[in-house]
Structures are given as C-alpha cells and as structure tokens.
Amino acid sequence: MRLSRFFMPILKENPKEAEIVSHRLMLRSGMVRQQSQGIYSWLPMGKRVLDKVNKIIREEQNRSGAIELLMPTLQSAELWQESGRYDAYGKEMLRIKDRQERPMLYGPTNEEMITDIFRSYVKSYKNLPLNLYHIQLKFRDEIRPRFGTMRSREFLMKDAYSFDLTKEGAEHSYRKMFAAYLRTFSRLGLRAIPMRADTGPIGGNLSHEFIILADTGESEVFCHKDFVDFDIPAENTDFDSVAGMQSIFDQWTSVYAATSEMHDEAAFNAIAEGDRLSARGIEVGHIFYFGTKYSEPMGAKVQGPDGKEHLVHMGSYGIGPTRLVPAIIEASHDENGIIWPASVAPFDSVIINMKAGDEACDAASERLYAALGNAGQDVLYDDTDDRAGTKFAAADLIGVPVQVIVGPRSIANGEVELKDRKTGARETLTVEAALNKLIG
Ligand code: ATP
Ligand code: MG
C-alpha cells in the first residue's frame, strides 16, 4: 500500500476526549472515529488490525471444533419473551419497532436465537456435541460508554454456544473453549489470566473471565504470580481428549485468581507475600456453563440413547474483538506510539522514503516495495513528500514492527537502515541483505 493512496488520517494533536493511552493512540493513528456516543467507525488502519484479531479468534475456534455461522443483529422480541429475558433485561437493551409495530431489538447477545436454531433442527443426541459461533455486532446501551472501543455501545463479539446431552459432556465443551481461549490470547501477544466469575443461581465453578493485566483496567484483580509462567496449550493439542482438556484446566485453575466480585481475602492472604499479585485488569473474554437455563423454557430437547427426551446442557463463550484491540495497545506501547505484536500488526513493515523525488531513493524504495510485496508481505510504502521527521514519527505512532529507512546518504552506498519498532535496534544493510533478512 502506497501511503499517498491510502486513507490514514493521522492526528497531530492529542484528542482531549481520550482518557487512556489506547484510546488516544487509536484516534491519533486514524484507526477509529466516534460517530455518536459509544458508536465507532473502523477506519482502514483499524480495520486491518481488527481483521487480524478476528482471523486468530476464528482459527482457534475452528481448531477446537466450533463451527461458524452468522446470526443477524436485529432480533424479534418474541424469542426473548419465551426465555423471560425481554422484561428482565433492562435499559441496556435497545428496543425498536418495525413498520408493523412489531417489537424488535438490537441483540445484546444471542442465547435465545441460537437455542431457537438448535431446537428447529437438532433432534437426536447423535448430532451432539455441537458448538456454534459467530462474530457479529452487539448493542448494549451502556450507562457509561468510555475509553473508546474498550467500552462502547455497539461492539463486536465472538460468541460461541455449546450443546451437549449431559452435564459431563458440557463440562468437556467448556474446557475446550477454555483451552482455545488460552491459545487465542497468547497468539494475540497477550497473557490473559482466567479468573473465576460469579455463576449466579446456576452455581458450580464453571464461569471464568479472561483478564489482561493493565493499569487502566476497570476491574480490580488478585492472583498468584505463577500464572505468568504457565504453559499455553500447543498447536497440536487434541481437543477431543477429555483427560487432556481436564489437565490443562486443572493447571490453570490450580492457583488463586479472582476479580474483586469473587475475591476471598483469606485465600489470597494464604499465598506467600512475594507471590501475590494485586493489579487492575481488562476483561477480554468470558465463558459460562449454564446448564438448561435456556433449553428448558425454550424446549430444546434431543432424544438420548435411552430413547427418552433430554433437555440439552448449554454454555456460552464470549470474546470482544473491538475491546481486544485497545487492550493489546494498553499492553504494548511506548511514549512514541503503538508497538503491534507481529500477529496483528496492520502491516508487516513500512518503507520510509526519506526523500521522495530523489532518483536513488525512489528506485531503491520501489525495488523493496515490489520485492516484499511479491514475497507476500503486507507493506506500507511512505512515498509522500512529508519531511523525514514527520515520517519517522508517523511510523513510530502506527507501530508497524519493522521500518525500512531509505535515505539519500546511505543509498549512495547501496545501503538502507532497518529499525525494529519494539527494541529500537537499528542495522545498516545493503538492499540485498535487507531483503534477505526480511523475506528470510
Ligand atoms: P463488562 O463486565 O466489561 O461490562 P460483560 O461481562 O457484560 O462485560 P459479556 O457479556 O461477558 O460482557 O461479553 C463477552 C465479552 O464481550 C466481554 O468479555 C468483552 O470482551 C466484550 N464486551 C462486553 N461489553 C462490551 C462493551 N461494552 N464494549 C466492548 N466490548 C464488550
Ligand atoms: Mg462478562
């Protein structure tokens, strides 16, 4: 992508409305624009990152055996009257009427709709287990939308729903998602800690919030330091192995971790003082086993091996991609801007032509741009006639992992400079050597 033809509206000034660093950097680097309170457009730079986040989420959902579909944002109120949540869900739900005066709503979540899909088609235990997910916009009329897309009113959610014949089966489905989440957050460059969450009237211990530690987090969290070193499940993990899923779950739930709502002071104080971690965190995912809470009122039953009808056991599993993007920035930035982990960076590298219009600089930049592109890399080529200083600042701000700097002095020797955005390390190489290093 040539910057001169791209749409990357960088802001020079710090936007006043941004209270936290991720919001400031997302506005300054032209990733998002607020359209009305808590409702955002994703501009091209932001959209690229969001797509990469979604791709990783999707790959890990698929790996664990979940199947993607797509449900609508608008739902009929009838379904929610069946489950009893139409009245129970308060002002967070945006209620609308269509031209026939039929009550509709903008979905804040999809338990009712997926249960309706399930009951319409699945009649036998032989079709179980089943886990269906989608990545779709939600709307919650939050009382206090803030921090940009971290807590917005319209936001993207990956929500998966599992269906099993038995409670034991549902617990295995739960642990599969638990392991998939560990892999997902790790691939996004984050260390997320699963913390026991409130299960309300359903009871049991099968609800976890996945929390990223960050000073600007809205939750107060308490956990054991050991979490920092626990292993992430490998790529070839067998998600069908009940024992395997159990052992991952057992390790990751073996030491103390809780948000303030579930905090047990005595249990926390029992940890050696040097091993206690008390911090702030951002909830990026939430998984929940809720048994027959929806299958019962909505009549989602299957015939079991015994020939009898059984209510299905369900769980739901959410991740917020539009919250993850700022969460990654909170975890990875410096005073000059964003530092993207390679897995979600909007571009793999940026070529900075320090003197556009200079014959040697242009020729070398074009050569690099073509070769990197041909090798399948996503490259941003800053071919504008801005001052070099402006270009350097912009490249640091947008946080692309590698900067390839083409300047008149070094190119006279056939050389360019590579700068690693994260470490700041610089290296001078011939164009050839630079290409070898980047393409490998
Ligand atoms: P919170 O406690 O932060 O309000 P929640 O518990 O209501 O979130 P869930 O219903 O568990 O959220 O939703 C699943 C995921 O969706 C959350 O873990 C989060 O990543 C994301 N999410 C929820 N609300 C928002 C929001 N207002 N803006 C952006 N992402 C959100
Ligand atoms: Mg939650």
Side-chain angles (χ1 to χ4, degrees):
M1 180 65 61
R2 286 171 200 274
L3 185 53
S4 62
R5 299 187 195 165
F6 193 41
F7 181 63
M8 188 175 92
I10 281 188
L11 303 182
K12 296 227 163 53
E13 305 294 316
N14 266 331
K16 279 191 211 68
E17 71 267 33
E19 294 171 63
I20 60 171
V21 66
S22 57
H23 190 194
R24 194 157 62 235
L25 291 173
M26 285 176 77
L27 291 173
R28 282 205 50 212
S29 62
M31 291 178 65
V32 291
R33 171 177 169 75
Q34 180 170 301
Q35 301 297 156
S36 59
Q37 199 194 27
I39 301 181
Y40 288 83
S41 288
W42 285 76
L43 305 178
M45 188 64 107
K47 176 70 164 51
R48 281 178 164 260
V49 177
L50 188 58
D51 283 348
K52 293 204 173 175
V53 168
N54 284 336
K55 181 167 182 282
I56 290 176
I57 292 174
R58 197 170 263 129
E59 283 171 5
E60 296 304 329
Q61 289 292 295
N62 295 349
R63 190 193 308 279
S64 78
I67 305 165
E68 186 170 9
L69 46 57
L70 182 62
M71 291 177 270
T73 52
L74 294 182
Q75 306 188 18
S76 140
E78 260 170 55
L79 277 179
W80 290 68
Q81 282 155 351
E82 273 193 63
S83 73
R85 279 210 291 183
Y86 190 63
D87 295 324
Y89 225 101
K91 291 199 160 178
E92 281 202 352
M93 181 189 277
L94 180 63
R95 297 158 206 255
I96 320 160
K97 280 199 175 134
D98 70 8
R99 66 198 296 165
Q100 270 98 28
E101 294 289 308
R102 276 187 296 246
M104 313 275 295
L105 56 99
Y106 193 132
T109 178
N110 284 62
E111 280 83 3
E112 283 78 0
M113 190 173 277
I114 200 80
T115 307
D116 176 58
I117 293 174
F118 180 89
R119 72 179 171 187
S120 307
Y121 299 105
V122 185
K123 308 288 179 198
S124 162
Y125 76 96
K126 290 180 187 159
N127 299 110
L128 300 183
L130 188 63
N131 189 323
L132 299 170
Y133 77 96
H134 70 162
I135 301 179
Q136 175 64 292
L137 290 168
K138 306 287 182 285
F139 192 92
R140 294 182 185 172
D141 206 347
E142 299 269 357
I143 196 159
R144 240 194 116 195
R146 56 180 183 157
F147 302 157
T149 67
M150 188 79 89
R151 178 171 298 284
S152 50
R153 296 198 297 165
E154 189 189 54
F155 59 95
L156 208 52
M157 198 198 289
K158 181 289 299 178
D159 38 328
Y161 303 89
S162 66
F163 300 88
D164 283 271
L165 178 66
T166 61
K167 179 163 189 272
E168 293 67 38
E171 287 171 354
H172 175 56
S173 294
Y174 182 92
R175 292 183 199 116
K176 278 165 53 168
M177 276 293 129
F178 186 97
Y181 275 38
L182 293 175
R183 283 193 48 79
T184 303
F185 297 126
S186 159
R187 286 186 63 195
L188 294 171
L190 296 169
R191 171 122 315 217
I193 301 176
M195 305 206 175
R196 269 191 63 182
D198 196 4
T199 46
I202 288 150
N205 62 356
L206 287 187
S207 178
H208 287 87
E209 291 178 346
F210 286 75
I211 308 263
I212 306 292
L213 302 183
D215 293 341
T216 47
E218 291 184 287
S219 322
E220 202 181 352
V221 302
F222 307 86
C223 70
H224 196 289
K225 276 220 170 82
D226 277 2
F227 274 109
V228 180
D229 301 317
F230 282 166
D231 287 336
I232 300 296
E235 194 175 310
N236 63 358
T237 296
D238 178 4
F239 282 85
D240 290 330
S241 160
V242 173
M245 289 300 117
Q246 180 79 55
S247 87
I248 291 168
F249 182 78
D250 286 348
Q251 183 190 21
W252 281 85
T253 53
S254 62
V255 290
Y256 188 82
T259 60
S260 52
E261 288 146 44
M262 295 291 286
H263 187 46
D264 173 350
E265 196 74 38
F268 187 59
N269 288 337
I271 304 171
E273 199 167 347
D275 290 336
R276 284 181 221 157
L277 202 63
S278 137
R280 301 203 67 82
I282 302 168
E283 179 198 319
V284 289
H286 191 170
I287 62 178
F288 207 112
Y289 162 72
F290 47 73
T292 57
K293 182 175 174 190
Y294 299 94
S295 57
E296 193 171 335
M298 296 185 68
K301 294 178 195 155
V302 292
Q303 191 173 52
D306 55 3
K308 294 193 185 126
E309 301 248 280
H310 297 264
L311 290 170
V312 286
H313 286 258
M314 294 174 60
S316 72
Y317 314 90
I319 291 184
T322 48
R323 177 178 288 181
L324 269 167
V325 173
I328 294 167
I329 298 175
E330 290 294 329
S332 183
H333 66 270
D334 64 14
E335 62 284 3
N336 298 323
I338 302 167
I339 302 175
W340 290 116
S343 60
V344 296
F347 295 97
D348 300 314
S349 59
V350 52
I351 299 168
I352 303 174
N353 183 344
M354 285 173 66
K355 203 170 175 197
D358 173 276
E359 211 172 306
C361 285
D362 288 353
S365 299
E366 291 289 343
R367 183 176 161 212
L368 284 157
Y369 182 54
L372 293 172
N374 287 338
Q377 298 209 357
D378 255 343
V379 189
L380 180 65
Y381 170 24
D382 190 343
D383 59 343
T384 63
D385 45 23
D386 286 340
R387 288 183 308 110
T390 306
K391 294 189 180 194
F392 293 144
D396 279 354
L397 175 64
I398 64 173
V400 172
V402 180
Q403 299 173 12
V404 186
I405 303 164
V406 183
R409 215 172 311 151
S410 45
I411 208 65
N413 305 322
E415 289 175 335
V416 295
E417 205 178 4
L418 293 189
K419 178 180 155 189
D420 180 310
R421 172 65 183 89
K422 186 171 181 183
T423 62
R426 290 160 180 276
E427 196 178 0
T428 302
L429 296 167
T430 62
V431 173
E432 208 55 51
L435 281 173
N436 280 338
K437 177 150 188 185
L438 294 176
I439 296 169

